[in-house]
Amino acid sequence: MLQSLAGSSCVRLVERHRSAWCFGFLVLGYLLYLVFGAVVFSSVELPYEDLLRQELRKLKRRFLEEHECLSEPQLEQFLGRVLEASNYGVSVLSNASGNWNWDFTSALFFASTVLSTTGYGHTVPLSDGGKAFCIVYSVIGIPFTLLFLTAVVQRVTIHVTRRPVLYFHIRWGFSKQLVAIVHAVLLGFVTVSCFFFIPAAVFSILEDDWNFLESFYFCFISLSTIGLGDYVPGEGYNQKFRELYKIGITCYLLLGLIAMLVVLETFCELHELKKFRKMFYVKKDKDEDQVHIIEHDQLSFSSITDQAAGMKDDQKQNEPFVTPQSSAQSDSPTSP
């Protein structure tokens, strides 16, 4: 008897705080996923980093042995300056791109990566004025971009997602949830094909040093706004039609980002995902909801009465043949 009572009380306690328990498991799962990613990346990439370090040490030692007139501190000073310039997008190699990093098309590409928060990092402002302007430009431009993308995605979602689902639901009588799931899957497949597979094939052809996997990797890193910067198109040696190529990449990034947000919004509107997300949200109390409803009704009633009184006063003022005395008599109650 006591065990059944204790079990039922525990069940009631868990049900009462179900949202908190789900949120706790969500936080724990996210932390475990971070640790899992760190373990995998470390185990995969650490051996390659060790091999690269050993190779660089051998090259450095061999270079110093072949050039005895050059001391190690002088070489390290030179290499440090070269690496510092490389971080700003400037290279001293003879086969490096001879194009400027801050012509109009390159600056347009940089501005698009800043506003979309992609930020490859291959080109950064050199001057203090450029860094200050980048801060101000980002503070204004990033919220502006979010507003722009929200408005565009809202309009595109109406024509691409809601109307087709409603049409098949009303015209053919299919279940709305089933139509929404099938539509979301098809839209995701079309988006991945048009903005990942096809552009990856194009980049693998236009970029000499990229294979299909590296091109697909660039597309995903860019459209997910991660922007690691290890692969940046249009930076190769003697790139043909570089200005037009940069403008095309800028348009591709903006359109691809809009397409990704439309797909994300489409999946978020699925009933199953909405139900799943509510498991981790804080549930509102019924008393709080009733208070909000009463306050909203009181505000609505007061606004209606104020509007009616205002309309009555305006009507009286607009009647030219009614004197103040007659209006006062009409407002006063008549004697029996």
Side-chain angles (χ1 to χ4, degrees), residues 45-303:
E45 296 296 331
L46 191 60
Y48 287 93
E49 181 184 1
D50 184 52
L51 290 176
L52 184 59
R53 287 177 180 271
Q54 294 179 6
E55 182 181 359
L56 290 177
R57 290 194 189 99
K58 291 180 181 179
L59 290 174
K60 178 182 175 182
R61 190 182 308 113
R62 186 184 307 171
F63 183 84
L64 290 175
E65 292 175 355
E66 294 177 355
H67 302 80
E68 297 179 355
C69 60
L70 183 65
S71 63
E72 185 174 357
Q74 292 176 343
L75 178 61
E76 290 185 352
Q77 183 180 2
F78 173 74
L79 293 177
R81 181 56 180 165
V82 170
L83 292 176
E84 182 181 359
S86 179
N87 292 331
Y88 287 97
V90 180
S91 177
V92 297
L93 298 177
S94 59
N95 61 347
S97 176
N99 299 300
W100 294 92
N101 292 324
W102 290 105
D103 55 358
F104 177 76
T105 54
S106 299
L108 180 65
F109 180 70
F110 173 78
S112 66
T113 59
V114 169
L115 296 183
S116 61
T117 66
T118 303
Y120 293 113
H122 69 294
T123 302
V124 293
L126 301 175
S127 62
D128 293 337
K131 295 174 183 178
F133 176 75
C134 185
I135 295 174
V136 177
Y137 185 73
S138 302
V139 168
I140 300 174
I142 291 177
F144 189 22
T145 303
L146 293 177
L147 176 62
F148 166 73
L149 292 177
T150 302
V152 173
V153 170
Q154 190 267 342
R155 283 164 171 76
V156 174
T157 304
I158 292 176
H159 297 283
V160 174
T161 298
R162 296 175 184 174
R163 288 186 178 179
V165 171
L166 190 61
Y167 173 78
F168 280 98
H169 173 63
I170 297 176
R171 181 67 176 80
W172 300 100
F174 294 111
S175 173
K176 191 174 182 180
Q177 296 180 5
L178 179 62
V179 174
I181 293 175
V182 174
H183 174 268
V185 173
L186 291 177
L187 183 63
F189 177 77
V190 172
T191 302
V192 170
S193 300
C194 295
F195 290 94
F196 286 92
F197 286 106
I198 296 177
V202 174
F203 283 126
S204 63
I205 296 174
L206 297 178
E207 298 291 333
D208 297 333
D209 299 332
W210 295 12
N211 55 29
F212 182 80
L213 177 60
E214 293 170 339
S215 301
F216 189 89
Y217 168 80
F218 163 76
C219 295
F220 177 79
I221 292 298
S222 299
L223 297 185
S224 59
T225 67
I226 298 174
L228 297 178
D230 47 352
Y231 290 93
V232 180
E235 299 297 326
Y237 180 67
N238 290 333
Q239 180 70 51
K240 297 181 179 180
F241 307 105
R242 184 174 183 270
E243 291 78 10
L244 184 62
Y245 189 32
K246 284 287 187 179
I247 294 176
I249 295 171
T250 303
C251 296
Y252 161 73
L253 292 177
L254 292 177
L255 294 177
L257 185 58
I258 292 173
M260 290 286 291
L261 292 176
V262 169
V263 172
L264 182 62
E265 181 69 18
T266 301
F267 275 93
C268 288
E269 288 186 355
L270 294 178
H271 177 72
E272 289 76 8
L273 290 182
K274 286 183 178 179
K275 187 177 179 180
F276 178 74
R277 294 200 310 271
K278 288 181 180 179
M279 294 173 55
F280 309 102
Y281 294 164
V282 178
K283 295 182 179 180
K284 293 183 179 181
D285 297 332
K286 294 183 178 180
D287 297 335
E288 184 180 355
D289 293 338
Q290 291 177 359
V291 169
H292 288 314
I293 293 173
I294 293 173
E295 291 178 353
H296 182 269
D297 292 340
Q298 289 178 351
L299 290 173
S300 300
F301 180 75
S302 61
S303 62

Side-chain angles (χ1 to χ4, degrees), residues 19-35 279-280:
S19 177
W21 283 102
C22 291
F23 179 73
F25 284 118
L26 178 65
V27 173
L28 179 62
Y30 186 76
L31 294 177
L32 291 176
Y33 194 72
L34 285 175
V35 174
M279 294 173 55
F280 309 102

